Amino acid sequence: MEYKIISDSTELTFCEVKNPSQKNYYRHCHAGFEFLLFLEGDAEYVIENRRYSLTPNNLIIIKPSEYHYLSIKSRKPYSRYVINFQAETVPEILLQKLMDCPSVLKLEEDDELLSLFRKPYRYEMEFGETSRPLINSVITQIICLAAQNMRQTDRIATNSRLTGEVIKYVSENLSKPFTLDDIAEKLYVSKSYMCHTFIKEMKITVMQYVRNKKILLAENMISAGKSVSAAAMLCGFEDYSTFYRLYKKILGISPSRYRKAHNAQ
């Protein structure tokens, strides 16, 4: 069962799955924020180099451009609320507080945050399209309460130090062109061992990870007013045609069309 609410900058989903399968939960990253309230199931959540064993009422907070996915451990029924929203939805005074929030919070049964996730669906049923300001106000309330809640889960594991170092190198060098050989040389490790370790732990190749990160950075630059060609250059793409092809493949829209649509908002 799934129920969804979609507006211009926000998407809310409630989902119950009786027999969850890993093939339905893909590995990805995106430019916006995501809240996932885990209600039940047998699963872990992977965010970059960290792996969290989930318990009911865990609130997962995904920040922009973070690589993440749900890892199903068994066919136990799975249910959750998800809210995806863009940075412009967040009042500026709360944006840094949201960025500073732990990735997974432990909520108590009587925590006000739990009831807030149910409110948008009631607003949608009662007010329809006119409920959008009410729904945005609920998101703001969730951010305020999450920022005050520092009960971070202690059920955390990390991948190898090598994978962490690769992620750190990529994050610090997104504006530059670099190759697998460059990363391996900098980390004093063989390229084959680095690639094997990364794909084993992250379920994605190093260069797929790099390309996703660079394209999302370019999207943010275009949103901030940079020209498409300038964004491509600043993200380390020496060939515009390669940038254009990857942008369209990863985001499903050409960079010029995205810029036009964003400017029209």
Side-chain angles (χ1 to χ4, degrees), residues 28-150:
H28 63 293
C29 52
H30 43 66
F33 289 94
E34 179 176 322
F35 287 149
L36 188 152
L37 179 60
F38 179 76
L39 301 177
E40 65 172 339
D42 183 13
E44 294 180 329
Y45 213 89
V46 176
I47 304 174
E48 294 291 353
N49 196 38
R50 308 177 302 280
R51 184 178 296 270
Y52 300 87
S53 295
L54 299 180
T55 57
N57 300 332
N58 277 166
L59 175 58
I60 302 162
I61 302 174
I62 309 296
K63 280 93 173 186
S65 301
E66 286 188 327
Y67 173 77
H68 58 281
Y69 66 92
L70 182 78
S71 177
I72 297 293
K73 311 307 292 183
S74 76
R75 291 300 185 96
K76 181 179 178 181
Y78 166 60
S79 61
R80 86 291 189 268
Y81 286 101
V82 172
I83 302 178
N84 290 100
F85 56 98
Q86 301 303 313
E88 55 262 31
T89 306
V90 183
E92 187 173 347
I93 193 173
L94 294 177
L95 193 56
Q96 190 56 52
K97 290 184 179 296
L98 180 56
M99 291 297 295
D100 292 340
C101 280
S103 294
V104 180
L105 298 175
K106 296 191 296 184
L107 306 184
E108 303 299 334
E109 289 286 348
D110 60 349
D111 199 303
E112 186 180 353
L113 275 166
L114 298 179
S115 62
L116 284 174
F117 275 82
R118 292 188 286 270
K119 284 187 176 182
Y121 302 93
R122 295 203 299 269
Y123 292 154
E124 171 75 11
M125 291 178 65
E126 187 170 353
F127 302 110
E129 289 292 329
T130 61
S131 67
R132 297 302 180 251
L134 293 173
I135 291 174
N136 286 340
S137 74
V138 170
I139 294 174
T140 300
Q141 291 177 65
I142 292 173
I143 294 170
C144 288
L145 291 175
Q148 296 170 19
N149 184 335
M150 290 294 113

Side-chain angles (χ1 to χ4, degrees), residues 219-235:
E219 181 187 29
N220 289 336
M221 288 181 175
I222 294 169
S223 297
K226 293 287 186 185
S227 69
V228 174
S229 58
M233 182 182 66
L234 290 170
C235 290

